[in-house]
């Protein structure tokens, strides 16, 4: 589905929402969420043991998590908080993977008590989990996060499997880690890696799959038979909407990975479960941030549109120089002036869109596209700004408030 077109079709609805619930406000589209999940299941439907896991960090609005759970999507959680949400909405512990490079005792205890899979990130963690599990009299279910030393060709800040990365056990030490785990009272279930985010080429995934497969084979040879291979998330989305997107698709991803996993199965003599744990490609284009124009400023050097959202609501442009398409829902014409679309925080870097050809006047509502992932979940109260509301447009087209806008009382609580 062309989400830009979808948004324009829902223009009236969105303007009503901004009127009724105020701005800035995140709006999510259930229909697009469903479609995004279906794309994965369709592309991987020839692999019987494919499991889709959702990376909660992208958007942990509880309603979004529930919708995904009902679509048979599992959970990748990274903290005691995300674990709590997964537990709260009734996910089966075996469908939850707890990944983090720094696990608190409290989060390890919750994971053990819940019975989910703990994805071990380092050698010392083997010892920590062993000690805590003995104290609680639990048998941990585990996998290891391996750093496969693969360059995903993406922004530096979201490349996670390069050799200098803080994440995981280096590929050269993988066998040693499994051997150590075998000496403990652990149930060894799988292997995991996540090489990065917003990846638009197949090659890094191929390299990752080959390297991980080799480890699985080496482990098989020493009698450790893994049940699952989790290749992480990372599939990129089309932020530009310029009609020229030739990045990676679900089908290309499946066509690249599945034959390699089938080869692996032949060598092993059994079928592994194949897990992917996307975040962005599930929720990214299913969300939009609505913000109101506060004023227009024309200086001798630049022109600015001041809006009521800032990097407290959406940090991606400031943090990763990320591009998000911005549409004026009150006036879609292009005009001939070029503006910087800026937030109202006291920071020069509070720019939501650079050099945009757009027409706007006070009180117009701008829609910042593709903000369903790493939007609200990375928002903050910087400059004592209340957090935005979150609204869902359901499949039945009904508008549902998922979270009201924070009020001033919350800021002094
Ligand atoms: N699995 C693990 C272990 C991860 O660390 C991540 C994302 C994912 C899965 C999901 O990756 P995705 O499919 O969303 O690419 N805040 C950044 C993205 C950070 C990604 C962190 N890890 C952004 O706004 O671009």
């Amino acid at each position: 589905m062309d989400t830009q077109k979808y948004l324009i079709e829902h223009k009236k609805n969105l303007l009503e929402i901004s009127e009724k619930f105020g701005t800035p406000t995140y709006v999510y589209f259930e229909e697009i969420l469903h479609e995004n999940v279906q794309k994965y299941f369709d592309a991987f439907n020839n692999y019987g043991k494919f499991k889709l896991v959702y990376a909660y960090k992208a958007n942990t609005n509880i309603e979004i998590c529930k919708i995904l759970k009902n679509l048979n999507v599992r959970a990748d959680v990274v903290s005691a908080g995300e674990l709590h949400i997964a537990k709260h909405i009734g996910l089966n512990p075996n469908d939850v993977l707890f990944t983090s490079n720094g696990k608190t005792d409290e989060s390890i205890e919750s994971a053990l008590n819940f019975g989910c899979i703990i994805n071990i990130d380092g050698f010392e963690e083997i010892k920590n989990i062993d000690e805590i599990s003995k104290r609680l009299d639990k048998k941990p279910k585990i996998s290891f996060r391996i750093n496969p030393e693969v360059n995903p060709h993406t922004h530096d800040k979201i490349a996670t499997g390069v050799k200098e990365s803080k994440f995981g056990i280096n590929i050269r030490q993988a066998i040693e880690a499994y051997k150590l785990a075998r000496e403990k009272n652990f149930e060894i279930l799988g292997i995991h890696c996540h090489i990065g985010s917003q990846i638009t080429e197949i090659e890094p995934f191929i390299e990752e799959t080959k390297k991980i497969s080799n480890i699985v084979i080496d482990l098989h040879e020493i009698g450790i038979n893994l049940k699952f291979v989790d290749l992480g998330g990372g599939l990129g989305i089309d932020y530009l909407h310029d009609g020229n997107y030739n990045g990676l698709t679900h089908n290309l991803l499946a066509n690249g990975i599945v034959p390699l996993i089938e080869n692996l199965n032949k060598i092993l003599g059994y079928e592994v479960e194949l897990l992917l744990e996307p975040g962005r490609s599930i929720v990214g284009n299913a969300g939009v941030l609505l913000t109101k124009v506060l004023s227009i400023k024309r200086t001798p050097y630049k022109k600015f549109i001041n809006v009521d959202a800032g990097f407290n609501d959406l940090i991606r442009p400031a943090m990763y120089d990320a591009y998000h398409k911005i549409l004026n829902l009150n006036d879609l014409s292009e005009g001939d002036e070029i503006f910087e679309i800026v937030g109202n925080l006291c920071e020069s870097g509070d720019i939501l869109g650079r050099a945009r050809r757009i027409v706007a006047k006070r009180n117009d509502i701008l829609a910042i596209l593709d903000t369903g992932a790493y939007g609200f979940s990375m928002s903050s109260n910087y400059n004592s700004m209340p957090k935005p509301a979150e609204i869902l447009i359901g499949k039945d087209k009904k508008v549902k408030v998922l979270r009201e806008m924070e009020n001033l009382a919350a800021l002094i609580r």
Side-chain angles (χ1 to χ4, degrees):
M1 173 174 337
D2 177 345
T3 50
Q4 181 171 313
K5 237 164 86 192
Y6 188 88
L7 268 186
I8 295 172
E9 279 165 22
H10 286 77
K11 202 173 78 173
K12 195 167 153 272
N13 235 341
L14 291 170
L15 287 171
E16 277 168 19
I17 287 173
S18 69
E19 181 89 1
K20 192 160 172 199
F21 302 103
T23 49
T25 284
Y26 278 99
V27 182
Y28 308 123
F29 300 96
E30 188 177 8
E31 213 173 336
I32 300 183
L33 276 179
H34 281 245
E35 187 188 75
N36 289 343
V37 168
Q38 200 51 46
K39 276 187 185 160
Y40 274 100
F41 286 133
D42 287 348
F44 286 86
N45 79 347
N46 63 341
Y47 193 77
K49 291 199 157 194
F50 172 70
K51 313 275 178 220
L52 188 59
V53 185
Y54 168 58
Y56 269 30
K57 59 182 81 67
N59 187 327
T60 36
N61 185 289
I62 194 161
E63 204 61 36
I64 303 272
C65 296
K66 278 186 197 161
I67 291 171
L68 295 172
K69 173 182 171 275
N70 292 336
L71 294 175
N72 208 10
V73 182
R74 303 168 171 221
D76 159 50
V77 302
V78 295
S79 65
E82 289 188 356
L83 193 60
H84 181 68
I85 294 172
K87 211 158 64 174
H88 178 78
I89 64 169
L91 267 137
N92 181 320
N94 292 319
D95 294 344
V96 179
L97 184 68
F98 174 36
T99 301
S100 163
N101 68 297
K103 300 182 179 74
T104 61
D105 284 3
E106 181 203 21
S107 65
I108 294 173
E109 283 172 20
S110 317
L112 287 167
N113 284 327
F114 181 43
C116 67
I117 303 158
I118 304 181
N119 198 18
I120 303 182
D121 195 90
F123 282 90
E124 189 173 335
E125 220 179 271
I126 300 176
K127 191 168 110 306
N128 299 345
I129 292 170
D130 185 42
E131 279 171 13
I132 298 176
S133 63
K134 280 186 179 138
R135 176 158 54 76
L136 299 179
D137 194 24
K138 300 279 179 195
K139 185 179 170 84
K141 294 176 211 156
I142 66 113
S143 55
F144 280 102
R145 177 171 185 166
I146 303 300
N147 175 350
E149 296 191 15
V150 172
N151 185 344
H153 302 136
T154 187
H155 191 284
D156 278 359
K157 285 188 184 142
I158 51 175
T160 45
V162 292
K163 61 175 183 279
E164 300 85 1
S165 167
K166 70 171 179 170
F167 298 107
I169 289 185
N170 184 274
I171 187 164
R172 292 154 218 265
Q173 300 170 304
I175 303 295
E176 193 189 336
Y178 279 92
K179 280 184 176 163
L180 262 174
R182 179 157 64 175
E183 290 164 18
K184 310 286 181 197
N185 182 30
F186 289 177
E187 189 180 348
I188 303 174
L189 290 175
I191 190 163
H192 168 277
C193 58
H194 169 73
I195 54 173
S197 206
Q198 187 55 18
I199 301 171
T200 52
E201 312 161 359
I202 188 66
E203 288 75 17
F205 284 109
I206 303 250
E207 191 184 339
E208 171 195 26
T209 312
K210 284 184 179 164
K211 285 182 164 176
I212 291 299
S213 296
N214 286 338
I215 300 174
V216 178
I217 294 163
D218 289 349
L219 289 171
H220 174 66
E221 280 167 5
I222 58 165
I224 300 176
N225 291 308
L226 300 183
K227 188 170 159 223
F228 73 80
V229 172
D230 182 339
L231 296 173
L235 178 62
I237 64 169
D238 174 18
Y239 282 107
L240 294 178
H241 296 278
D242 62 358
N244 292 322
Y245 187 68
N246 64 355
L248 199 49
T249 61
H250 300 74
N251 283 334
L252 288 174
L253 184 64
N255 293 343
I257 291 175
V258 171
L260 298 174
I261 296 292
E262 280 167 346
N263 255 348
L264 168 67
N265 291 341
K266 268 190 215 134
I267 297 169
L268 296 176
Y270 68 91
E271 280 197 337
V272 292
E273 286 178 0
L274 168 62
L275 275 60
L276 288 183
E277 48 183 42
R280 188 190 314 270
S281 50
I282 299 278
V283 287
N285 68 349
V288 62
L289 175 61
L290 301 180
T291 180
K292 189 189 279 181
V293 175
L294 301 177
S295 58
I296 313 288
K297 183 189 281 183
R298 293 175 175 86
T299 77
Y301 305 101
K302 278 207 162 175
K303 299 172 184 176
F304 299 94
I305 297 175
N306 290 306
V307 298
D308 66 358
F311 73 58
N312 54 307
D313 303 298
L314 177 68
I315 203 167
R316 302 196 69 260
M319 189 146 169
Y320 315 107
D321 293 316
Y323 176 92
H324 285 268
K325 180 126 193 182
I326 304 181
L327 299 176
N328 182 351
L329 296 179
N330 296 99
D331 186 348
L332 290 165
S333 58
E334 262 213 334
D336 45 26
E337 281 186 295
I338 294 188
F339 289 98
E340 305 286 287
I341 300 175
V342 298
N344 52 358
L345 298 176
C346 299
E347 296 243 7
S348 306
D350 186 25
I351 299 173
L352 295 165
R354 289 179 190 274
R356 302 301 172 92
R357 190 178 291 281
I358 189 168
V359 173
K361 60 178 185 318
R362 180 167 167 80
N363 290 331
D364 279 355
I365 300 296
L366 308 189
I368 309 182
L369 273 60
D370 307 309
T371 45
Y374 309 110
F376 188 94
S377 67
M378 293 181 83
S379 66
S380 77
N381 288 116
Y382 186 46
N383 281 198
S384 292
M385 296 291 186
K387 289 215 184 184
E390 290 179 288
I391 309 283
L392 180 79
I393 300 186
K395 272 195 100 177
D396 54 7
K397 306 284 180 228
K398 284 202 180 119
V399 171
K400 188 169 173 186
V401 181
L402 306 187
R403 190 194 304 264
E404 287 186 5
M405 190 177 294
E406 235 176 19
N407 56 21
L408 295 180
L411 300 177
I412 52 171
R413 193 161 51 201

